[in-house]
């Protein structure tokens, strides 16, 4: 393994200057010249799959290579192959080796500056050269890293950056990883004395509704041969951009070294960051050095108090909050691992509407903009580092991360913490997921090394590990491992023996001071719109059994305060971890298109206070007339009456949580006096099938609540297109998600329709992906043709770089076509 050659910016032996000075009522004006020039370097690359010795050299001929912009994931383009080296873990898609090259012209004015190239993520085993000089390599595909290009650049000339990406050692992941430079790339230009990469750390303390203390630590690098005197000014701005406090401090930074400047700024009447109102502040550090160097950098942060308590669970700003969470992998369905932010924006909207307030980043650091969005949307995040430490897993016995952990494990974790520590959304770190080390003799020692790092880098947050062998047979996670954890993470708490009924209570009794969190449990997933014999088992269990299991588990989690919360596996379907012919996992409550499944409404009925009433299955069962069918209902109404073609099949009700008497005997709350026909968290009726209309009428507090109908549709007649937004902006991260529905003459979606739809776009846009959510479809995501699945399909539109109008058309044999216009600004 070659080591990183360019190590500028990682200098040990720092000096620290702390300042808790009086607040300065003004801020220094920062001109454009004082700011570090951070520019996107996504455009203008050439690419080719395969290995090309000498491709790092200036004279190499890449004229026949593909011209593209990044982020770019070459694996998602396919084709699918049952014998692909990555297997089902990688979704049966291609991997291999690929090369990228980019020519950069630099002006003479760059002389005397420092230039750094930063990659948000490259999967995997990347090597980077500039002008033929190897800068270093990075095996972990999910970490942000960068190199100092300065010693090898030619000011006023053309410079070549070359990147070799090697994802050929397979299988190396238990889920779809994608391949290539799949996240953004940045070029950062600074003076020789400057703020270090990820050099601002913000911590809040003494937090209340009346005041808070903000501590800003700025790491200044001096990449000159002389000691330099500096002035560092820290300014705090509120959500409106108004400066509410400024502190400055002076100090000397030794030659070829760095210094930490620590400043404390009080804030009065802070707007506290929480899930409902995620208020964000900005901390800016401005540097002025004796040699004329000027730099300025900013970071957003939130003011909040986070705590895990052995009795009360998780507390946010001194209020108990149940973590109603989902696990998410990093892919975006049809776009693979290179995910425009617009996709996550829509997915987060759906999760919020479901009542989800927490996300576990499974099982790796996400893209930086993912966490930025979590900050803005008020999600509570478990940020996870690894799926493996020193020992591999059955799916990755040779080439998983364990191959690199001894050399890179602490460094990758440190870089993750440095990059992400200012995000208010992160409330807990996870050092690993289901690591075999938890039962290995040296597991506690490995864990302790990681804990020492996490605690030193970030003393404000606790650390967990997602343990799947607690009480396992024949070999369980030992107490020597578990007792080291700040919070004990349980994967599948009910997996063994009587824990199927007792859950956490066994360990609560034996370890009353332990802090508990459910790091992973099954979700109410399955194939969207599949019922009866079509419904595939999830985690090897029949759908009916899984429903009972999850309802019982959810009751326990919600009732017992000491359980901080739980993260279901998963919120959204993801590529990989599948068996042929399937190419994706169906564990989510939302499919890869962003279409909710029935299970979505189960959680919505528990996690939200808005009235929820959802019945299923669909009512198109031609040829099954007279057969008795179970009509299921997820609701938080007090009671529901079901009708078929005007005939009542009875009123049923449930109450959760059930409430006892109040004040005096026998005074029960109003809801405790309503009809209760089940202790389950769903309602069900047995109904002989006949075509027509199912009608469910909910009642809340003695009044009629929501009413929904499910009707037998007519024959498919037309396509209907709807977009999640009226328009988009130019830029790679902006996406319009267009839903294609196959409808009958009355405008109802036909749930059995699977017509092949051809899409075309005119104007200033392009199709960046098509999908239907079907697990066993081997159609190309990059095609303009897609078979609908259960009456639905999805098209992703992006700008081609210009402003104006783009028009999408959709056509299928035997159906009336449709078109839709999207404005690009």
């Amino acid at each position: 393994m070659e080591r990183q050659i360019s190590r500028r910016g990682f200098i040990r032996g720092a000096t620290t200057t702390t300042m808790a000075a009086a607040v300065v009522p003004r801020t220094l004006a920062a001109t454009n010249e004082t700011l570090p020039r951070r520019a996107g370097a996504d455009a203008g690359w050439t690419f080719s799959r395969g290995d090309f010795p000498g491709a790092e050299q200036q004279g190499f001929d890449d004229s026949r290579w593909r011209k593209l912009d990044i982020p770019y994931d070459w694996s998602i383009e396919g084709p699918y192959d049952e014998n692909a080296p990555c297997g089902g873990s990688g979704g049966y898609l291609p991997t291999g080796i690929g090369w990228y090259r980019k020519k950069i012209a630099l002006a003479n004015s760059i002389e005397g500056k420092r230039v750094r190239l930063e990659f948000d993520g490259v999967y995997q085993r990347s090597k980077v050269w500039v002008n033929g000089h190897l800068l270093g390599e990075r095996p972990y595909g999910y970490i942000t890293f960068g190199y100092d290009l300065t010693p090898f650049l030619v000011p006023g000339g053309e410079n070549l950056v070359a990147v070799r990406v090697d994802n050929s050692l397979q299988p190396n992941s238990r889920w779809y990883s994608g391949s290539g430079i799949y996240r953004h790339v940045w070029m950062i230009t600074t003076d020789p004395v400057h703020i270090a990469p990820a050099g601002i750390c913000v911590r809040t303390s003494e937090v209340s509704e009346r005041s808070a203390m903000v501590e800003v630590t700025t790491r200044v690098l001096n990449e000159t041969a002389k000691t330099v005197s500096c002035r560092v000014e820290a300014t705090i701005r509120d959500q409106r951009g108004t400066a509410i406090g400024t502190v400055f401090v002076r100090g000397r930074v030794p030659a070829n070294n760095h210094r930490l400047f620590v400043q404390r700024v009080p804030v009065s009447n802070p707007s506290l960051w929480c899930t409902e109102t995620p208020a964000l502040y900005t901390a800016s550090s401005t540097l002025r050095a004796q040699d004329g160097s000027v730099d300025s950098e900013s970071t957003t942060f939130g003011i909040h108090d986070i705590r895990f308590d052995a009795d009360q669970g998780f507390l946010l700003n001194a209020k108990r909050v149940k973590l109603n969470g989902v696990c998410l992998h990093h892919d975006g369905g049809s776009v693979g691992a290179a995910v425009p932010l617009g996709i996550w924006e829509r997915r987060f909207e759906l999760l919020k509407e479901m009542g989800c307030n927490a996300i576990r980043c499974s099982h790796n650091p996400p893209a930086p903009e993912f966490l930025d969005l979590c900050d803005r949307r008020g999600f509570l995040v478990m940020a996870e580092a690894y799926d493996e430490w020193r020992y591999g897993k059955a799916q990755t016995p040779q080439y998983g991360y364990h191959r690199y952990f001894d050399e890179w494990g602490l460094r990758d974790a440190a870089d993750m913490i440095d990059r992400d520590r200012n995000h208010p959304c992160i409330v807990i770190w996870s050092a690993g997921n289901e690591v075999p080390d938890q039962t290995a003799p040296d597991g506690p020692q490995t864990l302790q090394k990681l804990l020492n790092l996490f605690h030193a880098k970030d003393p404000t947050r606790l650390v967990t590990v997602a343990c799947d062998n607690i009480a396992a047979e024949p070999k369980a996670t030992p107490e020597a491992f578990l007792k080291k954890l700040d919070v004990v993470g349980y994967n599948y708490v009910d997996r063994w023996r009587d824990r199927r009924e007792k859950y956490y209570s066994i360990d609560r009794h034996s370890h009353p001071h332990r802090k508990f969190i459910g790091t992973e449990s099954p979700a109410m997933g399955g194939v969207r719109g599949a019922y009866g014999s079509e419904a595939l088992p999830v985690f090897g269990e029949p759908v009916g059994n899984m429903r009972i299991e999850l309802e019982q588990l959810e009751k326990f989690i919600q009732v017992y305060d000491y359980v901080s919360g739980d993260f279901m596996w998963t919120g959204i379907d993801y590529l990989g971890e599948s068996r042929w012919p399937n190419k994706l996992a169906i564990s989510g409550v939302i499919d890869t298109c962003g279409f909710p499944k029935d299970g979505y409404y189960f959680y919505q009925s528990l996690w939200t206070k808005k009235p929820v009433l959802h019945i299923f299955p669909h009512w198109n069962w031609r040829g099954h007339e007279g057969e008795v069918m179970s009509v299921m209902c997820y609701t938080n109404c007090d009671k529901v009456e079901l009708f078929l073609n005007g005939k009542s099949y009875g009123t049923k009700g449930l109450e959760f949580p059930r409430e006892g008497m109040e004040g005096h005997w026998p005074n029960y709350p109003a809801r405790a006096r309503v009809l209760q026909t089940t202790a389950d968290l769903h309602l069900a009726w047995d109904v002989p099938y006949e075509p027509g209309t199912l009608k469910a009428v909910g009642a809340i507090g003695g009044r009629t609540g929501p009413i929904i109908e499910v009707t037998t549709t007519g024959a498919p007649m037309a396509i209907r297109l709807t977009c999640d937004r009226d328009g988009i902006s130019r830029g790679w991260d902006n996406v319009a998600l267009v839903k294609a529905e196959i409808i009958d003459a009355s405008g109802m979606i036909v749930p059995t329709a699977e017509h092949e739809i051809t899409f075309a776009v005119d104007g200033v846009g392009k199709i960046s992906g098509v999908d239907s959510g079907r697990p066993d479809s081997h159609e190309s995501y990059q095609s303009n043709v897609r078979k609908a699945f259960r009456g639905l399909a999805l098209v992703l539109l992006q700008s081609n770089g210009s402003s104006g109008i783009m028009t999408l058309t959709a056509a299928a044999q035997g159906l009336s076509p449709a078109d839709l216009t999207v404005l690009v600004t």
Side-chain angles (χ1 to χ4, degrees):
M1 174 65 66
E2 295 181 54
R3 299 304 301 250
Q4 178 173 326
I5 294 171
S6 176
R7 292 189 176 273
R8 295 182 184 272
F10 299 95
I11 308 171
R12 298 183 182 275
T15 304
T16 303
T17 297
T18 304
M19 187 69 176
V23 175
V24 180
R26 63 178 182 84
T27 179
L28 291 176
T31 65
N32 289 335
E33 289 74 20
T34 68
L35 296 173
R37 297 186 294 278
R38 178 179 173 88
D42 291 344
W45 293 77
T46 59
F47 168 78
S48 185
R49 286 181 57 185
D51 204 2
F52 304 92
E56 74 277 10
Q57 299 298 327
Q58 285 273 20
F60 183 86
D61 182 9
D62 63 358
S63 59
R64 296 187 178 182
W65 285 19
R66 181 174 173 182
K67 294 178 174 58
L68 51 75
D69 298 337
I70 52 179
Y72 169 66
D73 169 14
W74 80 66
S75 291
I76 198 63
E77 295 182 347
Y80 299 98
D81 180 356
E82 185 177 2
N83 299 312
C86 67
S89 295
Y92 302 100
L93 285 162
T95 48
I97 297 173
W99 278 81
Y100 298 79
R101 286 164 51 96
K102 179 180 175 67
K103 295 177 180 178
I104 303 171
L106 297 175
N108 286 318
S109 58
I110 205 74
E111 189 77 44
K113 301 288 186 179
R114 309 303 301 188
V115 180
R116 174 181 170 86
L117 193 65
E118 191 166 282
F119 297 84
D120 284 345
V122 182
Y123 201 92
Q124 61 160 299
R125 291 167 51 86
S126 64
K127 290 185 178 181
V128 181
W129 292 262
V130 63
N131 294 332
H133 297 276
L134 178 63
L135 301 177
E137 68 175 357
R138 203 68 183 241
Y140 196 31
Y142 298 107
I143 204 71
T144 293
F145 63 95
Y147 301 108
D148 182 11
L149 310 185
T150 311
F152 312 109
L153 292 177
V154 180
E158 188 174 73
N159 296 268
L160 173 71
V161 173
V163 183
R164 182 183 186 267
V165 183
D166 183 358
N167 195 19
S168 64
L169 300 181
Q170 294 291 335
N172 60 52
S173 174
R174 297 188 303 115
W175 60 90
Y176 177 81
S177 64
S179 300
I181 309 177
Y182 68 100
R183 292 179 182 168
H184 292 295
V185 181
W186 308 92
M187 184 164 288
I188 301 153
T189 307
T190 64
D191 288 329
V193 182
H194 60 94
I195 297 169
I200 300 178
C201 175
V202 182
R203 294 173 181 161
T204 59
S205 61
E206 306 168 35
V207 175
S208 71
E209 294 182 350
R210 292 186 293 181
S211 64
M213 183 62 69
V214 179
E215 181 183 275
V216 182
T217 301
T218 306
R219 188 161 74 100
V220 176
L221 288 178
N222 176 8
E223 299 191 84
T224 74
K226 296 181 179 181
T227 297
V228 175
S229 296
C230 296
R231 182 185 193 272
V232 177
E233 180 180 277
T235 299
I236 305 301
R237 291 180 171 83
D238 63 16
Q239 304 92 293
R240 296 176 296 276
T242 302
I244 58 175
T246 299
V247 172
F248 72 88
V249 62
R250 299 182 188 276
R252 292 167 61 81
V253 184
N256 293 311
N257 212 314
H258 71 249
R259 187 180 195 125
L260 300 179
F261 293 84
V262 183
Q263 295 148 289
R264 292 167 61 84
V265 183
V267 176
S268 300
N269 302 313
S271 298
L272 301 184
W273 189 97
C274 64
T275 57
E276 295 83 14
T277 55
L280 292 176
Y281 289 79
T282 302
S284 300
S285 289
T286 300
L287 162 71
R288 295 185 185 275
Q290 179 186 13
D291 72 339
S293 295
V294 179
D295 199 0
S296 182
E297 189 71 285
S298 297
T299 183
T300 56
F301 70 97
I303 298 175
H304 60 18
D305 178 72
I306 53 176
R307 285 190 293 137
F308 285 85
D309 183 83
D311 297 318
Q312 299 185 74
F314 175 69
L315 295 101
L316 178 62
N317 302 325
K319 298 178 182 178
R320 192 169 60 245
V321 175
K322 189 70 71 173
L323 295 170
N324 294 326
V326 300
C327 299
L328 292 179
H329 270 314
H330 73 142
D331 75 80
S334 62
V335 296
V339 188
L341 189 61
I343 292 177
W344 287 120
E345 288 175 340
R346 177 56 184 151
R347 289 180 168 192
F348 281 13
E349 289 171 2
L350 290 166
L351 291 173
K352 274 288 186 179
E353 290 170 8
M354 186 178 73
C356 170
N357 63 10
I359 293 171
R360 175 181 175 223
C361 298
S362 309
H363 305 290
N364 49 263
E369 63 269 20
F370 180 98
L371 294 175
D372 290 339
L373 189 60
C374 289
D375 287 342
R376 297 195 298 271
R377 295 298 176 88
F379 282 100
L380 306 165
V381 171
M382 176 182 290
E384 195 156 68
Y386 303 122
D387 193 50
E388 293 178 5
W389 294 348
R390 302 191 68 239
Y391 298 92
K393 295 184 175 179
Q395 301 91 332
T396 55
Q398 287 182 283
Y399 301 125
Y401 186 73
H402 67 276
R403 184 183 179 95
Y404 315 105
F405 182 85
D406 283 345
E407 181 176 2
W408 290 93
L410 292 179
R411 171 144 177 214
D412 285 338
D415 286 351
M416 178 188 80
I417 299 166
D418 284 347
R419 189 196 73 172
D420 297 338
R421 60 193 170 187
N422 294 335
H423 288 283
C425 64
I426 297 178
V427 297
I428 188 171
W429 299 107
S430 170
N433 169 67
E434 298 181 352
V435 290
D437 308 66
Q438 64 187 296
T439 57
D442 62 346
Q445 289 75 30
T446 303
L447 171 61
Q448 189 62 59
K449 291 178 181 178
L450 286 165
L451 289 174
N452 291 344
L453 173 72
F454 275 93
H455 292 155
K457 284 280 185 181
D458 182 9
T460 69
R461 294 180 178 92
L462 301 185
V463 183
T464 189
V465 169
C467 300
D468 63 333
N469 284 330
I470 298 176
E473 298 175 3
K475 193 174 184 180
T477 307
E479 180 63 19
F481 187 94
L482 296 176
K483 70 181 182 181
K484 290 180 178 294
L485 295 171
D486 302 328
V487 182
V488 178
Y490 286 71
N491 279 20
Y492 307 98
V493 62
D494 62 343
R495 182 172 279 174
W496 293 96
R497 295 190 180 265
D498 56 348
R499 290 170 186 258
R500 184 68 93 184
E501 292 286 355
K502 296 179 180 178
Y503 305 106
Y504 298 93
S505 64
I506 297 172
D507 292 346
R508 167 70 169 175
H509 178 76
S510 57
H511 300 87
H513 301 296
R514 176 177 290 180
K515 300 178 178 69
F516 294 83
I517 190 167
T519 38
E520 187 172 315
S521 296
M524 200 79 77
V527 179
R528 174 177 56 82
Y531 306 104
S533 60
E534 293 181 331
L536 300 177
V538 180
F539 290 93
E541 292 194 58
V543 174
N545 291 16
M546 181 66 73
R547 181 178 296 111
I548 294 171
E549 176 185 338
L550 297 184
E551 289 185 5
Q552 294 296 101
L553 174 62
E554 194 65 25
K555 282 184 178 181
F556 194 99
I557 293 167
Q558 297 300 326
V559 166
Y560 288 95
D561 294 339
Y562 69 85
V563 182
S564 300
D566 187 77
F567 294 85
M568 72 168 87
W569 189 264
T570 55
I572 302 171
D573 288 351
Y574 58 97
L575 300 173
E577 203 162 8
S578 55
R579 293 183 180 178
W580 190 267
N582 286 353
K583 47 105 168 32
L584 58 83
I586 58 172
S587 55
V589 294
I590 300 170
D591 74 6
T592 53
C593 296
F595 301 149
K597 307 177 188 180
D598 294 313
Y600 175 94
Y601 301 96
F602 165 70
Y603 295 99
Q604 189 180 58
S605 70
L606 290 173
W607 293 353
T608 70
K609 295 182 179 180
K610 65 182 179 183
V612 175
L613 181 59
H614 176 76
I615 60 173
F616 57 99
H618 63 73
W619 211 238
N620 280 32
W621 298 100
R622 184 176 179 180
H624 294 269
E625 288 77 7
E627 292 184 18
V628 175
M629 296 189 173
S630 291
V631 176
M632 312 289 289
C633 175
Y634 294 136
T635 187
N636 52 15
C637 295
D638 296 335
K639 56 185 179 180
V640 178
E641 185 172 10
L642 183 72
F643 299 85
L644 173 59
N645 297 329
K647 177 183 176 181
S648 175
Y649 279 79
T651 299
K652 298 193 176 186
L654 61 84
E655 180 192 10
F656 179 77
R658 292 180 298 131
E659 300 180 52
M661 291 183 287
E662 297 177 350
H664 59 84
W665 188 91
N667 181 41
Y668 283 94
R671 189 168 184 187
R673 296 193 295 269
V674 304
L675 173 70
Q676 298 175 38
T677 60
T678 182
D680 296 329
L681 297 181
H682 70 274
L683 304 176
W685 294 262
D686 292 332
V687 180
Y689 175 70
E690 64 179 66
T693 298
L694 285 171
K695 181 179 180 180
V697 180
I700 301 174
R703 298 182 179 182
T704 300
I707 299 173
I708 60 169
E709 294 183 348
V710 176
T711 299
T712 307
T713 69
M717 296 295 292
I719 301 171
R720 180 170 60 206
L721 299 176
T722 56
C723 188
D724 69 324
R725 60 201 70 197
D726 296 328
I728 61 172
S729 301
R730 291 176 297 167
W732 184 85
D733 274 309
N734 301 303
V735 182
L737 287 80
V738 180
K739 179 165 64 173
E741 303 167 320
I742 298 179
I743 59 176
D744 67 4
S746 300
M748 292 186 293
I749 299 172
V750 181
T752 55
E754 297 194 352
H755 294 66
E756 185 175 83
I757 306 174
T758 300
F759 301 98
V761 64
D762 291 322
V764 298
K766 61 182 179 180
I767 295 174
S768 56
V770 292
D771 195 4
S772 67
R774 182 171 184 140
D776 60 354
S777 169
H778 299 150
E779 303 162 280
S780 170
Y781 284 128
Q782 284 69 47
S783 173
N784 68 326
V785 177
R786 196 75 172 184
K787 287 186 67 176
F789 182 57
R790 315 295 187 196
L792 300 176
L794 180 76
V795 184
L796 276 62
L797 300 179
Q798 288 179 295
S799 166
N800 62 10
S802 301
S803 300
I805 291 174
M806 56 178 164
T807 300
L808 176 71
T809 59
Q813 187 174 1
L815 302 179
S816 298
D819 61 75
L820 178 141
T821 297
V822 178
L823 178 65
V824 180
T825 56

